[in-house]
Amino acid sequence: MSLQQPEAHSTTVGEQGPPGPQGIPGPAGGAAVERVAGETLSALRAVYELDGQVFALDYRDASAIYLLLGLTLTAAAAGGHINVQRSGPLDDAAWDWTPGPVWLGADGALTQVAPVDGFSVLLGAAVSASRLILNFQQPISMG
């Protein structure tokens, strides 16, 4: 003979816990967009958009220089989604800028050395060692 005990269940009402700390603000609406990477891309690279995909932009690329979209916030493999910031402040603790202008360099890199060939594309200004204010200017041909 078997004696089975009925299972007892208890249900309680959940309550909202205390709020967490305020996070850092993200870019303003429209300042960042999500796109599809047309090639493998690293974070913090200047990119251009063509046919719905983004690619690294080089200061010597006359065919794409006027298609600048912004700076990648994330990395992605080809075909993956990538976030791109188009304006405003951008912070990275690994940077070591000197306050002053920042230009487009080779393969989407950022540089504080003004180009002497290709195109001069001012991307913005470093305002501290780790903060850049994006403010894209029209390309100027250096040739």
Side-chain angles (χ1 to χ4, degrees):
M1 174 168 148
S2 153
L3 296 175
Q4 292 184 344
Q5 297 286 333
E7 285 188 36
H9 294 278
S10 176
T11 304
T12 59
V13 176
E15 294 180 18
Q16 176 72 39
Q22 175 72 34
I24 60 169
V33 296
E34 183 180 79
R35 295 292 188 264
V36 174
E39 63 186 350
T40 298
L41 294 167
S42 298
L44 304 174
R45 295 290 178 163
V47 293
Y48 69 95
E49 182 174 4
L50 183 64
D51 295 328
Q53 296 182 321
V54 295
F55 304 89
L57 180 60
D58 191 283
Y59 75 101
R60 300 162 292 198
D61 187 352
S63 65
I65 201 70
Y66 294 98
L67 305 177
L68 173 63
L69 176 64
L71 264 59
T72 57
L73 296 175
T74 55
H81 290 273
I82 192 161
N83 295 322
V84 179
Q85 187 161 332
R86 299 185 37 74
S87 64
L90 187 56
D91 297 288
D92 191 282
W95 280 336
D96 191 22
W97 298 119
T98 298
V102 175
W103 287 275
L104 171 64
D107 300 318
L110 310 181
T111 182
Q112 288 198 288
V113 177
V116 295
D117 63 342
F119 290 84
S120 175
V121 181
L122 184 63
L123 299 176
V127 295
S128 74
S130 61
R131 175 170 273 206
L132 176 64
I133 305 296
L134 298 179
N135 183 16
F136 304 140
Q137 303 299 306
Q138 287 293 326
I140 298 171
S141 176
M142 303 303 288

